[in-house]
Amino acid sequence: MIMLLGLAQAMSLEQVVARAAEVNPFGVVAELQRKVGSLEAAEGWTALGPTAQLGYQRRLTAGVWSGGASWSLSLGALDPGAWANAGQQRAQAKEAGVIADATVLDAQYAAAYLYYDLLAAQAASEATEQSYKAAQATLDASKARVQAGLESELSGRSAEVELLRAAADREKAGATQRIAKARLERALEQTVDGVQAPGPLELPAEMDPLWLKVAAASRESARWAHIEGIADLFPAGNLSVGQPAGSPNLTLSVGVTWTFDGIAGPFLRERGLALESRIAQVQYEALRRDLDLGLVEAKEQARAARAVAEAARAREELATATLEVGQARLTAGLASVLEVLRLQDDVVEARADRIDAERGEAYALLSARQVAGVGWGN
């Protein structure tokens, strides 16, 4: 169940990603699994130490009771399989830790995309409000000119249609903004009263992807599993000291156990684990090459998106300046209402293109940084 905080606030990008790291369910589960892995690794190492066993029994033989308390203390350090198992548990714990880091980072980037969605929706809502005001002003001017006989009735009707379209665009933008806000609130599990404009994102200078580290940790874990399979081919030593029930004397036991599960079972299991280790190596190399390619593509797309955004901003500035000139000419009676309506359409289109281009630029930069493994503290 989502618990929404009562106090709404306009959030920065840094606040959004920090909050996402705390509450994202996949990240929370991954962090818990990291702790589980640490406990299992600690348990694997304790198996190498002494193991105590306490017991009590009574036996009735020919009407005579015998027995009593017993105890023993055995040492697992002589078992090669126990050492290999401890190493594998440690490798798996490291893998769980890297998975947790990668999962949290992905959750932060997912929240960042939602942040830019809301930022774009806010900008679109503001743009449609400006367009509505401009359409209203043009309608007022057209009515005056129609009444004065300076414009045809068609011009007045066209201005009314433009105002209706501007009103519809405003309602649509408001709905989009509310949806984007609700999605971000769902991700952060708190109410959000808008977002603040962020600082510029930069292309990553270096590549250090966490999921490649996950693949490396998985490869190491498979290697230790293979080592454990090899260790199972050798005999396991045992050393124990204890006192049997009913005996006043201590006993010291030293021995070797060589177990063959189905005779050929350990050898077949070792070969299977060797193949699993090779599979992990191949998967690591494939992922590394894919990430190298992905970063090249993401950087090129980010550069292209930046150029598109710069062009869109320049186009919007030109369209806005042209509209201002057209409105001044309309007031002076040097331009028609239809000309100004066309200029308003140009501004509306230019603003929408600029907002989409800036969001596309942010998406491309986020994608490049995510592929490169750039953390939010960097």
Side-chain angles (χ1 to χ4, degrees):
M1 179 179 179
I2 303 173
M3 299 301 293
L4 299 180
L5 302 182
L7 180 61
Q9 54 180 330
M11 301 185 70
S12 65
L13 178 58
E14 291 75 15
Q15 290 173 323
V16 166
V17 295
R19 175 67 178 173
E22 296 175 357
V23 302
N24 182 271
F26 296 106
V28 172
V29 170
E31 287 291 346
L32 293 175
Q33 289 175 337
R34 183 211 299 264
K35 295 179 180 179
V36 171
S38 298
L39 293 175
E40 290 177 346
E43 181 183 359
W45 287 108
T46 59
L48 300 175
T51 300
Q53 185 176 16
L54 301 176
Y56 182 85
Q57 67 177 16
R58 298 289 290 172
R59 294 188 300 272
L60 179 62
T61 306
V64 179
W65 286 98
S66 63
S70 64
W71 63 272
S72 66
L73 194 65
S74 60
L75 188 65
L78 300 180
D79 185 357
W83 282 96
N85 180 261
Q88 185 192 16
Q89 294 293 335
R90 180 180 61 183
Q92 289 177 339
K94 181 179 179 182
E95 182 182 0
V98 182
I99 289 175
D101 292 337
T103 303
V104 169
L105 186 61
D106 282 353
Q108 289 181 304
Y109 273 100
Y113 282 106
L114 294 176
Y115 166 90
Y116 278 100
D117 281 343
L118 180 52
L119 190 70
Q122 288 180 175
S125 183
E126 294 170 0
T128 55
E129 184 64 34
Q130 293 174 358
S131 298
Y132 180 82
K133 292 179 179 179
Q136 183 65 64
T138 302
L139 177 60
D140 294 340
S142 68
K143 287 181 178 180
R145 291 175 62 84
V146 169
Q147 290 177 357
L150 301 176
E151 293 281 353
S152 66
E153 188 69 24
L154 176 62
S155 298
R157 294 296 184 185
S158 298
E160 291 178 1
V161 171
E162 183 68 19
L163 181 62
L164 291 174
R165 191 185 73 166
D169 288 344
R170 183 175 63 173
E171 289 300 320
K172 181 180 178 181
T176 301
Q177 181 179 357
R178 289 188 291 272
I179 291 172
K181 178 174 175 290
R183 288 175 175 170
L184 183 59
E185 288 177 340
R186 169 63 183 88
L188 303 184
E189 298 186 6
Q190 73 174 59
T191 53
V192 177
D193 187 20
V195 290
Q196 303 171 9
L201 292 173
E202 300 296 335
L203 280 172
E206 299 179 354
M207 183 171 178
D208 189 25
L210 286 176
W211 285 110
L212 187 61
K213 293 182 179 180
V214 170
S218 178
R219 179 184 59 181
E220 182 69 6
S221 179
R223 186 178 74 87
W224 272 102
H226 182 215
I227 292 174
E228 184 177 4
I230 295 174
D232 289 339
L233 298 177
F234 294 92
N238 57 79
L239 173 65
S240 64
V241 61
Q243 185 177 22
S247 174
N249 301 319
L250 296 178
T251 62
L252 176 64
S253 175
V254 180
V256 175
T257 302
W258 203 343
T259 303
F260 293 93
D261 182 12
I263 307 300
F267 300 96
L268 297 176
R269 188 159 48 249
E270 183 275 331
R271 293 314 304 154
L273 291 171
L275 294 175
E276 291 291 341
S277 180
R278 176 58 181 161
I279 290 172
Q281 175 65 30
V282 172
Q283 290 174 334
Y284 170 83
E285 294 297 336
L287 179 61
R288 180 180 59 80
R289 289 190 290 268
D290 287 344
L291 289 173
D292 288 340
L293 174 61
L295 182 60
V296 172
E297 293 177 346
K299 282 187 173 182
E300 292 302 322
Q301 290 172 352
R303 293 189 181 100
R306 178 169 292 175
V308 171
E310 290 174 354
R313 284 188 287 268
R315 179 191 171 196
E316 182 188 11
E317 291 177 2
L318 179 60
T320 301
T322 303
L323 176 60
E324 291 175 355
V325 172
Q327 289 173 334
R329 288 173 57 84
L330 177 63
T331 303
L334 301 176
S336 67
V337 171
L338 294 178
E339 289 175 330
V340 173
L341 291 177
R342 179 180 57 80
L343 295 177
Q344 284 181 185
D345 289 343
D346 291 342
V347 171
V348 170
E349 183 179 352
R351 282 174 180 164
D353 289 345
R354 186 262 303 170
I355 292 170
D356 288 342
E358 288 180 342
R359 179 168 55 182
E361 179 187 9
Y363 273 17
L365 288 169
L366 286 175
S367 177
R369 292 168 68 90
Q370 187 173 8
V371 170
V374 178
W376 289 100
N378 299 354

